[in-house]
Amino acid sequence: YTINYSSVSVGNGVFVAGVNNVTNVTVKNCVIGQNDSSITGAHGVEFDGVENSTIMNNSISVASNTAYGVILTNGGAGSLNTSVVNNSVYMATSSNAFLSQQFSHNSRFVNNSGVVVAGDVVYLTLVFNNSVEGNVLVGSAGNGVYLDFGANHSVVGNNISVIGTGVTGVSNGAVVANNSIFASGDGVSFNGNDETIAGNVVNSDAGSGVSVAGARLSVVNNTLSSNSSGGIVLNGVSSDNATLGNNYIVGVSGITLFGVSSNHVIENSTIFTSTGRGIDILAPYNVNVSNVTVSTTTGVAAIGIALSTSGNVVRNATVLVNDSWALYDTGGSNNISNSSFQSESGIGMFLGG
């Protein structure tokens, strides 16, 4: 089917409202287009309070401002258990290709392509247990996936290229795994507890590979590259019990821990930095660093491992720097063992706490 819509007045390409508990609706194999940018609020496909339904194999293009390619909205009860699969969405103006909002829980966005001129490609707000998997998401301005509160989302196996942040938001219990992300901003940026960020390949042009705040975070098995910032930044008060392991990092700096927090683990990682610090523990304490290899290149600021607090453990570390300190410990009462600290034209170990 070919559907040309909203050329004279506001309307949607397909609109299904669940007034009487509508279920098992399928919209598939359609070409849905809206070309008049002067008409606003005209969505490609809208499910409003529809449950257990499917939107698949459609080609959708939207020229309207304040409109969405696919929108799952509340209708008082939410568009629950919706599958959005194998669709191609192009947004010519500032909006989202895919929007899942209030009460649209347990929905799936799988194997779609979304291109957005300005705005976030996928936006999930006030929903739970949504999955974004295997999609190709491209944005000229905005973020790839924005998680606006809610919880227990999975963002897995996507190819994301955006002028903004790859995956971002405020959400608890999210899994961000096995994505390929190219972003001008941060690759992954989160504020929330119990997040897992694993197996991603991130290239960030002007931001960090991963920037997070929250308790019980797991950032593991990632390959992170940043042209002008760090690999991993952990920030926020009470962001306790983070595990940062098996990461490969190339950046201006490596791993930076801000904020008063404790009981973190940094392990089994390889870090290459240019002008910044390899591992920088600024405010947290009781951090266990083990089995890491750190190499820095240029400038006195390019310290291998810097400890500004006490109660930390560094063991089985191999650190090589060019003209700075391999270990710079001003915290005092730290346990350093079975490690190698070398500086070609600086100082191997500075203990000043």
Side-chain angles (χ1 to χ4, degrees):
Y1 298 95
T2 299
I3 302 171
N4 296 312
Y5 74 100
S6 196
S7 59
V8 177
S9 60
V10 177
N12 298 332
V14 176
F15 176 53
V16 182
V19 178
N20 296 308
N21 297 320
V22 172
T23 61
N24 299 313
V25 175
T26 298
V27 177
K28 68 177 182 178
N29 302 329
C30 297
V31 177
I32 302 169
Q34 189 259 344
N35 299 312
D36 191 340
S37 61
S38 67
I39 299 174
T40 62
H43 311 306
V45 178
E46 180 179 4
F47 278 7
D48 187 346
V50 179
E51 298 183 12
N52 302 314
S53 295
T54 302
I55 301 167
M56 65 182 299
N57 297 334
N58 302 289
S59 177
I60 302 168
S61 62
V62 179
S64 175
N65 281 307
T66 63
Y68 307 99
V70 174
I71 174 173
L72 311 179
T73 188
N74 57 29
S79 293
L80 301 172
N81 305 314
T82 301
S83 293
V84 181
V85 181
N86 293 329
N87 301 281
S88 174
V89 177
Y90 175 75
M91 306 297 296
T93 55
S94 177
S95 198
N96 311 123
F98 305 97
L99 171 65
S100 178
Q101 67 179 11
Q102 195 172 10
F103 305 122
S104 296
H105 309 313
N106 306 317
S107 294
R108 302 168 60 246
F109 297 85
V110 179
N111 295 334
N112 303 283
S113 68
V115 178
V116 174
V117 171
D120 304 322
V121 186
V122 178
Y123 197 103
L124 311 180
T125 178
L126 299 173
V127 293
F128 297 88
N129 303 314
N130 276 207
S131 60
V132 181
E133 300 181 6
N135 303 282
V136 177
L137 308 176
V138 179
S140 298
N143 306 303
V145 179
Y146 196 105
L147 307 182
D148 184 20
F149 295 97
N152 302 325
H153 301 306
S154 63
V155 181
V156 177
N158 302 282
N159 191 322
I160 301 172
S161 179
V162 291
I163 307 298
T165 298
V167 182
T168 188
V170 179
S171 178
N172 293 324
V175 175
V176 181
N178 302 324
N179 300 285
S180 176
I181 300 173
F182 180 86
S184 290
D186 295 332
V188 179
S189 179
F190 261 121
N191 191 332
N193 300 324
D194 303 301
E195 316 284 8
T196 298
I197 300 168
N200 302 285
V201 177
V202 176
N203 188 314
S204 172
D205 188 32
S208 301
V210 174
S211 179
V212 286
R216 300 173 301 278
L217 304 177
S218 179
V219 183
V220 297
N221 300 319
N222 301 284
T223 299
L224 308 173
S225 175
S226 175
N227 294 329
S228 59
S229 190
I232 299 173
V233 176
L234 175 64
N235 205 348
V237 176
S238 299
S239 294
D240 300 320
N241 301 304
T243 298
L244 316 177
N246 296 295
N247 297 291
Y248 183 89
I249 297 171
V250 178
V252 172
S253 58
I255 296 174
T256 304
L257 307 186
F258 293 100
V260 178
S261 57
S262 64
N263 301 320
H264 305 306
V265 173
I266 302 172
E267 63 184 0
N268 303 322
S269 296
T270 300
I271 301 168
F272 296 93
T273 75
S274 55
T275 58
R277 299 180 176 188
I279 297 174
D280 194 6
I281 300 172
L282 290 168
Y285 55 95
N286 294 340
V287 179
N288 191 323
V289 181
S290 65
N291 301 309
V292 297
T293 299
V294 178
S295 179
T296 72
T297 56
T298 306
V300 295
I303 298 170
I305 297 177
L307 307 175
S308 300
T309 58
S310 61
N312 304 297
V313 175
V314 178
R315 57 187 174 86
N316 300 326
T318 300
V319 181
L320 175 64
V321 302
N322 185 15
D323 51 4
S324 185
W325 297 274
L327 174 71
Y328 190 78
D329 180 2
T330 59
S333 300
N334 293 306
N335 187 338
I336 317 295
S337 65
N338 298 322
S339 298
S340 171
F341 300 100
Q342 300 182 56
S343 178
E344 293 184 356
S345 57
I347 298 174
M349 299 177 67
F350 176 85
L351 305 176

